[in-house]
Amino acid sequence: MPLWAAATDNVGGGIRRVEFLLDGSVFATSTGPFRGSWPITAVQNGTHTWCARAFDLEDNSAVSSTVTVHLKIDDARFVSQTVPAKMVAGRVYPVSVAMRNTGSVPWTRGNQYKLGFPSGIGTPDTLWLGTTNRVLLSTSDSVVNGEDKIFAFTVKAPTTTGNYNFQWKMVQEGQHWFDDMSPNVAVNVFVDTTPPQILLSTPTARIRVTSPQTLSIHADAADDDGIAKVWFILDGVTVSTVTTAPFTYDWSITSALNGTRTWSATAFDFEGHSTTVVPVPLTVDVDVTNPLAPAALAAEGKTRSLVLTWPPSTDSGGSGLAGYRVGVALDAGFAGFVDGWNDLNVGSTTTVTVSGVEPDSVYYVRVRAFDGAGNLSNFRTVSVRTLPEASLTVDTARAYPVPFRPGRGATGVTFDRTPEGADIRLFTNDGRLVKTLAGNSSGMAIWDLTNDEGIPVASGVYLAIIEKDGGRKRLKIVVQK
């Protein structure tokens, strides 16, 4: 920073020299021109005062007014920290301290910026980081103004019990410390002699398991200094070790485990102390008895559906009857199934309707019961033929609604059950042709109450003549608008 002073002498002898004073001490002397330079470094962070003192040829002197300068080259603000309030003597713990750069110089490893544990705050420096007491930036770090840096590191608790200060600050090594200091945490260091606590929340004692399933074995464990691991013990044998909460083990139960079983668990803290739960007894009695098949199976074939019924089955294995599975196949060997009916679980109903079948076709049906343990009965089977599709002729044709009245839901007069391609002609009562329609492949046609020119017809009586292959049928149509 440039320094400059203007000095004159009113006697006429002139100015011999000018002294520049930094914080009350002579920083530089100039005999003219009265200028200098102040090399600013981060070491000079803070508030400083400048003034100038001029001397004439007779060594008479005068001092200028003071100029105050605030320097903020290196500066930091505390953001957050994580540290246990209690530590076991001699144990290593992960901690973190976050600082924000509020100065003008980027923090880099090459420029020796570090997080440090200052001396003189009540704890010897060797307690947390040995002899270095510094946490380094990474070689890629360049923390600029406004950015936060999280220093994550490990510390070792002192081997002597007591309360120890945990407080950190930024430092430029070999230059200076600069604000902020992290808030002090008084860490209580103790010798752990208390074993952990543990209980089994599941299973509860003396439960009875009657179906194959996966049962979650859950332990609640706690310790002043944390849980290192939990053993899960089945019938005296450790079957799983879990090192992080939640402490659970999924037990797969099958009939092979039938009998009386015991579950226990042992919790360990990081000092090797342990506590074991009193074994919890339970009974595994997985049902292995198949339910009985339905005593009968009746199948009624309709044109495009089947209606199946059977009497309820029974189960004596203990898990209870759960439902039925129904299969509908195209062949007696049940190699190909009707879509959606490959031994479909229909629940506990004993009557089902099967759609999606074709007229005049043979289908093979089988039904079996299953219980709560998944055991299956034998099949009850039957074959059934669907009804053939009825033949449509002009004699089966019909029209509705008659009479037609607007505003009652219908938008026109529907002709159905007509043979495919039948001609449908509509005439006035005096024989004039009004409209010509044709029955579609479904035997249906709709008159929208307009003539062949698309003009709406008037109220009155109309005659519909339906013809196909020499057959003819007349229908009277009444329109009331």
Side-chain angles (χ1 to χ4, degrees), residues 275-295:
T275 302
T276 300
V277 176
V278 174
V280 174
L282 56 86
T283 300
V284 177
D285 188 15
V286 174
D287 179 6
V288 294
T289 302
N290 296 329
L292 295 178

Side-chain angles (χ1 to χ4, degrees), residues 72-79 98-107 142-150 178-179:
K72 194 177 181 182
I73 306 302
D74 279 333
D75 198 35
R77 289 293 176 267
F78 168 77
V79 178
M99 291 290 193
R100 179 173 299 144
N101 186 348
T102 53
S104 59
V105 178
W107 300 342
S142 179
V143 185
V144 299
N145 177 270
E147 287 188 344
D148 295 347
K149 171 61 182 178
I150 300 175
F178 53 95
D179 286 338

Side-chain angles (χ1 to χ4, degrees), residues 10 106 259 272 310 353 428 430:
N10 57 9
W310 59 90
T353 299
T428 62
D430 58 4

Side-chain angles (χ1 to χ4, degrees), residues 78 80-85 87 93-98 150-153 155 166 168 185:
F78 168 77
S80 64
Q81 63 185 356
T82 59
V83 55
M87 296 184 184
Y93 293 86
V95 297
S96 69
V97 178
I150 300 175
F151 295 89
F153 53 104
V155 295
F166 183 91
W168 300 81
V185 177

Side-chain angles (χ1 to χ4, degrees), residues 274-333:
S274 64
T275 302
T276 300
V277 176
V278 174
V280 174
L282 56 86
T283 300
V284 177
D285 188 15
V286 174
D287 179 6
V288 294
T289 302
N290 296 329
L292 295 178
L297 173 59
E300 179 186 1
K302 297 182 180 297
T303 305
R304 293 186 178 273
S305 65
L306 305 174
V307 178
L308 311 178
T309 58
W310 59 90
S313 297
T314 58
D315 178 67
S316 60
S319 61
L321 191 70
Y324 303 90
R325 294 186 177 275
V326 177
V328 182
L330 307 173
D331 60 277

Side-chain angles (χ1 to χ4, degrees), residues 201-389:
S201 55
T202 59
T204 55
R206 289 177 288 280
I207 66 169
R208 188 180 191 87
V209 182
T210 60
S211 63
Q213 59 186 272
T214 298
L215 183 64
S216 180
I217 312 300
H218 181 78
D220 294 314
D223 184 78
D224 284 346
D225 193 47
I227 298 297
K229 62 184 177 182
V230 170
W231 284 351
F232 286 98
I233 305 167
L234 173 61
D235 297 336
V237 178
T238 299
V239 295
S240 178
T241 300
V242 181
T243 57
T244 57
F247 300 108
T248 60
Y249 172 72
D250 289 335
W251 182 31
S252 180
I253 301 173
T254 66
S255 59
L257 294 170
N258 278 0
T260 300
R261 304 292 174 185
T262 59
W263 270 106
S264 183
T266 300
F268 296 83
D269 65 15
F270 289 96
E271 303 306 306
H273 306 120
S274 64
T275 302
T276 300
V277 176
V278 174
V280 174
L282 56 86
T283 300
V284 177
D285 188 15
V286 174
D287 179 6
V288 294
T289 302
N290 296 329
L292 295 178
L297 173 59
E300 179 186 1
K302 297 182 180 297
T303 305
R304 293 186 178 273
S305 65
L306 305 174
V307 178
L308 311 178
T309 58
W310 59 90
S313 297
T314 58
D315 178 67
S316 60
S319 61
L321 191 70
Y324 303 90
R325 294 186 177 275
V326 177
V328 182
L330 307 173
D331 60 277
F334 290 88
F337 289 86
V338 172
D339 187 32
W341 289 92
N342 185 352
D343 290 335
L344 176 67
N345 182 347
V346 298
S348 59
T349 184
T350 57
T351 301
V352 297
T353 299
V354 180
S355 58
V357 295
E358 297 296 325
D360 198 21
S361 300
V362 175
Y363 292 92
Y364 299 87
V365 180
R366 66 185 185 187
V367 176
R368 70 194 315 185
F370 63 91
D371 62 19
N375 300 307
L376 295 167
S377 74
N378 292 327
F379 287 110
R380 182 68 63 190
T381 61
V382 70
S383 62
V384 59
R385 179 182 289 274
T386 54
L387 298 175
E389 194 87 77

